[in-house]
């Protein structure tokens, strides 16, 4: 039997809004301080999309950059997979909006909802499609406008989130490159710890849901923190085990950027020195599904991640969901 060919990353792109909101700006909105935010999360500023622009506008820009980097034309795409919890609309999908904006006339397009783990879920699906020879070119996007579902009166959450988009084009692997292993998991029993209760079909928008501020992110931060550390650590080790690779062999860990203390805990468990751990949370805050592709593109374009390097992606998010992907770039 022929062995199936995994997917590899052909190109990446990112787009972030120009407008920046610093911790000092937030001090004027809620009872908080630059010092508290930096010490407890590592965040210094976040980018916020201007009114009138949509998630698919920013994601289309990131996608065009990824396609250009990959040398792939929009009409060559077979699938567009968008990981987001802040879609343009409940339906139609944000993926379909992007398909129209970038002219990917031959692609099937759909969204996935796996919160901060969404990009890794997307990579895993793209890898399966390519292995099964159902696709030759897949665009995976993680894109969020979290500022639109942030409660700017709730200091326990509003200091954490930001907006951004990242994208990757995947195709069949060459040589020893490609996705060596991926692992995705979820546990719906814990969904209430991180949720936007309003706006779905359970609590559609009414005056009451708006008055109760149900259309914003609600999070039990301390509980989520504990689960995030454990699940990301386990996912990282699992992807390494599946590929028979040790953490010493890694060139770069790109963890979901939710809290620098979570990242430090995972890096320490994997015994990785600082220079092998990518951190950009200070610039963007937590951008959910966009956080890993933003970091991946930055790392590639700044030369931190080179062809042939071994890179481990790991994430945790609402659902709960978590996952990891080990990639030879
Ligand atoms: N500014 C100042 N004080 C704040 C504050 C803010 N923005 N937000 C909360 N506080 C206060 C709390 O009211 C609390 O005060 P109290 O002790 O008087 O009750 C104190 O700071 C500590 O709050 P706590 O929530 O225990 O802080 P923490 O150390 O757990 O840090 C988070 C809070 C949200 C940064 C942290 O829990 C976290 O990162 N959670 C995980 C987020 C995550 O991983 N999400 C992943 C999926 S997206």
């Amino acid at each position: 039997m022929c062995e199936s060919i995994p997917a590899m990353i052909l190109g990446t792109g990112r787009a972030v809004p120009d407008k920046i909101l610093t911790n000092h700006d937030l001090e004027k909105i809620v009872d908080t301080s630059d010092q508290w935010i930096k010490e407890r999360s590592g965040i210094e500023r976040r980018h916020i999309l201007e009114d009138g622009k949509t998630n698919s506008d920013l994601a289309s820009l990131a996608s065009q950059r990824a396609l250009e980097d990959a040398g792939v034309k929009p009409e060559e795409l077979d699938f567009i997979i968008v990981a987001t919890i802040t879609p343009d609309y409940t339906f139609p999908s944000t993926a379909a909006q992007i398909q129209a904006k970038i002219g990917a006339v031959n692609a099937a397009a759909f969204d996935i909802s796996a919160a901060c783990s969404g990009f890794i879920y997307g990579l895993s699906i793209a890898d399966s499609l390519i292995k099964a020879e159902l696709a030759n070119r897949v665009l995976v996007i993680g894109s969020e406008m979290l500022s639109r579902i942030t409660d700017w009166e709730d200091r326990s959450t509003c200091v954490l989130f930001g907006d951004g988009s990242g994208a990757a084009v995947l195709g069949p692997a060459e040589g020893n490159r490609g996705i060596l292993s991926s692992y995705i998991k979820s546990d719906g029993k814990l969904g209430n710890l991180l949720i936007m209760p309003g706006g779905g079909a359970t609590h559609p928008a009414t005056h009451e849901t708006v008055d109760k501020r149900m259309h914003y992110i609600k999070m039990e931060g301390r509980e989520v923190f504990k689960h995030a550390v454990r699940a990301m650590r386990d996912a990282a080790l699992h992807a390494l085990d599946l590929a028979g690779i040790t953490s010493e062999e890694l060139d770069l860990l790109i963890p979901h950027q939710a809290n620098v203390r979570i990242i430090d805990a995972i890096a320490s468990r994997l015994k990785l020195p600082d220079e092998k751990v990518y951190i950009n949370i200070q610039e963007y805050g937590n951008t959910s599904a966009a956080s890993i592709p933003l970091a991946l593109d930055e790392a590639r374009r700044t030369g931190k991640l080179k062809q042939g390097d071994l890179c481990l992606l790991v994430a945790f998010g609402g659902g709960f969901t978590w996952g990891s992907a080990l990639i030879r770039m």
Side-chain angles (χ1 to χ4, degrees):
M1 207 174 84
C2 295
E3 226 175 89
S4 50
I5 299 171
M8 75 174 212
I9 291 178
L10 302 173
T12 57
R14 69 180 189 279
V16 287
D18 294 333
K19 186 178 159 194
I20 288 174
L21 188 71
T22 66
N23 290 351
H24 293 294
D25 295 329
L26 280 166
E27 286 172 346
K28 295 174 202 140
I29 303 175
V30 285
D31 179 14
T32 190
S33 69
D34 174 52
Q35 191 191 352
W36 190 94
I37 303 170
K38 272 202 295 226
E39 278 177 14
R40 304 313 294 161
S41 71
I43 300 165
E44 295 175 22
R45 63 192 83 84
R46 64 289 291 143
H47 294 242
I48 306 288
L49 193 68
E50 64 194 83
D51 290 346
K53 289 265 190 244
T54 64
N55 187 337
S56 62
D57 290 336
L58 201 68
S60 297
L61 197 56
S63 301
Q64 280 156 346
R65 290 172 178 160
L67 287 165
E68 195 180 318
D69 185 42
V72 169
K73 295 191 188 70
E75 55 272 26
E76 291 176 66
L77 291 173
D78 301 307
F79 283 88
I80 300 176
I81 303 173
V82 177
T84 188
I85 52 165
T86 46
D88 285 5
Y89 310 103
T90 301
F91 76 92
S93 71
T94 304
Q97 300 287 305
I98 296 165
Q99 178 197 33
K101 286 179 183 170
I102 65 172
V105 289
N106 296 310
F110 61 95
D111 290 359
I112 51 175
S113 174
C116 308
S117 316
F119 185 76
I120 291 180
Y121 270 62
L123 281 185
S124 179
I125 296 167
D127 187 38
S128 303
L129 288 167
I130 287 169
K131 275 183 178 149
E133 296 182 20
L134 295 170
N136 190 47
R137 295 287 181 260
V138 183
L139 176 63
V140 181
I141 303 164
S143 188
E144 302 285 11
M145 302 302 109
L146 294 176
S147 63
R148 307 265 168 98
I149 59 165
T150 294
D151 185 345
W152 296 103
E153 291 182 11
D154 175 9
R155 71 172 183 174
S156 71
T157 55
C158 77
V159 302
L160 302 173
F161 302 110
D163 301 340
S165 291
V169 180
L170 287 102
E174 288 160 13
N176 67 349
R177 299 174 66 191
I179 299 180
L180 306 185
S181 62
S182 70
Y183 172 70
I184 49 176
K185 293 291 282 182
S186 42
D187 184 354
K189 288 197 300 293
L190 301 169
N192 278 338
L193 296 176
L194 181 49
I195 187 169
M196 186 175 96
T202 305
H203 300 294
T206 61
H207 288 293
E208 195 192 353
T209 63
V210 173
D211 290 345
K212 288 185 171 165
R213 309 185 77 73
M214 288 168 71
H215 300 270
Y216 297 123
I217 300 168
K218 313 279 177 201
M219 179 169 74
E220 299 291 333
R222 219 174 299 183
E223 276 305 301
V224 174
F225 188 101
K226 279 190 273 181
H227 288 283
V229 170
R230 200 174 317 131
M232 284 171 75
R233 181 197 60 203
D234 292 351
L237 293 173
H238 202 82
L240 289 169
D241 267 2
L242 282 173
I245 300 266
T246 63
S247 61
E248 289 78 31
E249 294 172 73
L250 284 177
D251 293 294
L252 194 65
L253 173 72
I254 299 186
H256 169 49
Q257 310 281 314
N259 188 312
V260 79
R261 292 182 291 135
I262 297 177
I263 297 174
D264 287 345
I266 295 151
S268 138
R269 176 64 185 80
L270 296 178
K271 299 193 179 69
L272 291 175
D274 290 353
E275 64 273 16
K276 288 192 173 187
V277 182
Y278 200 83
I279 299 182
N280 63 4
I281 191 171
Q282 66 284 358
E283 180 63 36
Y284 304 115
N286 180 347
T287 57
S288 189
S291 110
I292 287 184
L294 272 180
L296 184 64
D297 185 59
E298 264 188 9
R300 286 184 70 247
R301 288 180 194 255
T302 55
K304 185 98 183 117
L305 197 56
K306 296 177 284 299
Q307 188 170 321
D309 281 354
L310 202 50
C311 173
L312 179 61
L313 313 179
V314 61
F316 176 85
F320 286 158
T321 58
W322 60 98
S324 52
L326 181 66
I327 306 174
R328 173 81 65 192
M329 297 300 297

